[in-house]
Amino acid sequence: MNEIHHEERDVLTGWGDLAERLAGYLAEMTDDQDHLILETPEPPTEGTSPYVQVCRSQAGLRLEASGNRVLAEQFRLTQEQLLLLAERQGWHLPDAEEGDPNLWLELDDEDAPDLLASIACEVLSDFFHVPFPEFLTVQAWGPAAVHVVDLGLPRTGPVPVDVVDRPATADDIEPPLEWAEAASDHDHLVEIVRTVLTRGLDAAPTQDDDGDFVFNHEGHSIFVRTGKEMPVVDIFTRLVHDVHSRKQASIEVNLLNRQHPMVKFVLLERSIIQVLAIPAAPLAHHHISGLVPYFITIRDAVIDDLVLRTQGRNG
C-alpha cells in the first residue's frame, strides 16, 4: 500500500511541519484581538472534542488546552496524565475557583512562538491522541488571521467542495478539492471510497455480499462499510471470537475504549469487534488513507494480549 501505508516517520514529520508553521503564525500574533483555535471534529455526545487555543495576555502569549470540565467523556485525561503535563511542560491545571476550565500556559514574547507551538502539537498528538495534523481544523480572528492560510488547515465548519480559482484569504480557507468530496447519494459515496482504497491498495478492493469492501491483513479481513442511512464510513474487524467469559471480555472492552478513544471496541455475543467511524458529509479522502493504517496499528497492538486475557480465539 502506498497512501494507506502511513509510516510513523511520516506522522512525526507531519506534526513537526505543523509545529514549524504554527510557530510562524504565533509570531504574528501581536495584537490583543488575535485569537487562534485548533480543534478536532465535535463528538456525537455531550461535551467538546480536544482543542488548543492561543491568545494575547499581559505576560505575552497564553496557550490553553481543553480541560476535563468541557471535554466529552471519551476524551478526558486521567489524573496521571494531568500531573505529567504539569511536571513535563509546566501546564497550570484547571482551577474551578479561579474560573479556569482549561489547562493553560503563559510565556513572554521572546520564547513563546517556538515553544508554545511545540507544546500545542505534543498535547494534541501524545495526550489527546489526534493521529495526524490533517484531523485538525482552525478558527482565527484578529489582525494575524490574514496569515492563517499558511497553517494549511481547513477552517472549522462545513467544508466547501467547490474550489474558487483565486488566492485564499483568512475568511475563505478551503482544503484542496482532492481532500474532501460531498457524495450526492449512497452509490456515489461507495464510488468515492472505492477510489480512495484503490489508490491506497494499488488495486481495486473486493466487495462481499453485503457490499462491504474487504482487504487482508496478516490473514484476517478488514472491512470498510459505507452507511446507507447516514453519511458515515465504518472500518471494522473481528479481533477475538469464542471468548471464555463475557464478563471478563466486557471488562477488557471497557479498558480498551478508555485507552484508545479514537476507535471503539464492541462485545457482540462472544466476539470482540474493533470499529472506527469516519464522518462522510463530506468525506475527506485523506481521512480514509490515514485512518486505515491507524486502525491496523491499534489492532496489532491489542490483539495478542486481548486473546490471552479473554481466552478466546484470534480473529
Side-chain angles (χ1 to χ4, degrees):
M1 297 185 288
N2 48 25
E3 293 189 21
I4 286 182
H5 191 56
H6 208 307
E7 297 286 356
E8 180 180 1
R9 178 178 56 189
D10 297 328
V11 175
L12 295 176
T13 300
W15 283 109
D17 290 344
L18 176 61
E20 183 176 346
R21 296 194 302 270
L22 181 57
Y25 183 85
L26 297 185
E28 300 290 340
M29 292 181 60
T30 58
D31 190 275
D32 290 343
Q33 299 301 313
D34 285 326
H35 199 119
L36 177 74
I37 301 176
L38 302 182
E39 54 194 334
T40 53
E42 288 295 322
T45 57
E46 293 185 2
T48 70
S49 57
Y51 64 84
V52 296
Q53 59 182 353
V54 186
C55 62
R56 298 293 306 178
S57 71
Q58 293 182 347
L61 285 175
R62 178 184 176 99
L63 170 67
E64 294 188 3
S66 45
N68 287 347
R69 286 177 58 191
V70 299
L71 284 169
E73 183 177 1
Q74 64 265 39
F75 300 118
R76 292 171 188 166
L77 301 176
T78 65
Q79 188 63 27
E80 291 77 9
Q81 289 175 309
L82 291 171
L83 292 176
L84 183 59
L85 282 169
E87 294 172 0
R88 181 192 296 181
Q89 299 174 339
W91 285 94
H92 295 267
L93 300 183
D95 189 332
E97 293 184 1
E98 295 295 329
D100 290 324
N102 293 332
L103 297 92
W104 61 274
L105 278 170
E106 287 185 348
L107 294 176
D108 61 40
D109 291 337
E110 182 177 355
D111 300 326
D114 289 338
L115 185 55
L116 289 185
S118 176
I119 291 174
C121 289
E122 183 175 350
V123 73
L124 287 169
S125 61
D126 293 357
F127 288 85
F128 287 125
H129 305 294
V130 179
F132 312 116
E134 290 92 337
F135 284 86
L136 299 173
T137 60
V138 62
Q139 295 187 63
W141 53 94
V146 68
H147 302 289
V148 77
V149 293
D150 297 336
L151 292 176
L153 299 174
R155 67 183 174 190
T156 299
V159 181
V161 175
D162 295 328
V163 176
V164 180
D165 187 17
R166 59 179 172 79
T169 68
D171 296 322
D172 184 19
I173 308 168
E174 297 181 347
L177 181 60
E178 66 270 21
W179 278 18
E181 189 171 355
S184 58
D185 53 31
H186 177 255
D187 290 340
H188 187 194
L189 179 60
V190 170
E191 292 309 311
I192 295 173
V193 173
R194 187 194 312 276
T195 298
V196 177
L197 291 177
T198 298
R199 187 166 60 238
L201 295 167
D202 291 329
T206 60
Q207 285 182 272
D208 62 15
D209 293 340
D210 295 325
D212 299 334
F213 294 105
V214 188
F215 63 92
N216 183 279
H217 173 69
E218 296 185 352
H220 299 282
S221 295
I222 307 292
F223 299 88
V224 180
R225 173 175 295 171
T226 53
K228 293 182 179 180
E229 303 298 328
M230 296 183 62
V232 66
V233 176
D234 290 318
I235 309 170
F236 64 96
T237 189
R238 188 174 69 178
L239 298 174
V240 183
H241 66 284
D242 293 342
V243 299
H244 178 71
S245 166
R246 279 180 49 84
K247 181 178 180 180
Q248 180 62 33
S250 178
I251 293 173
E252 297 300 329
V253 164
N254 289 334
L255 290 173
L256 287 172
N257 280 324
R258 290 184 62 86
Q259 294 168 0
H260 304 283
M262 285 292 294
V263 299
K264 293 299 178 186
F265 299 87
V266 180
L267 177 61
L268 185 62
E269 295 183 349
R270 291 193 174 274
S271 297
I272 297 177
I273 312 299
Q274 178 181 322
V275 185
L276 193 156
I278 306 174
L283 177 64
H285 292 203
H286 63 291
H287 284 185
I288 296 181
S289 60
L291 276 174
V292 169
Y294 174 77
F295 180 89
I296 292 173
T297 298
I298 298 299
R299 181 257 180 207
D300 292 347
V302 305
I303 191 165
D304 290 341
D305 192 49
L306 188 60
V307 170
L308 178 65
R309 288 178 177 272
T310 61
Q311 300 180 46
R313 300 174 64 185
N314 191 316

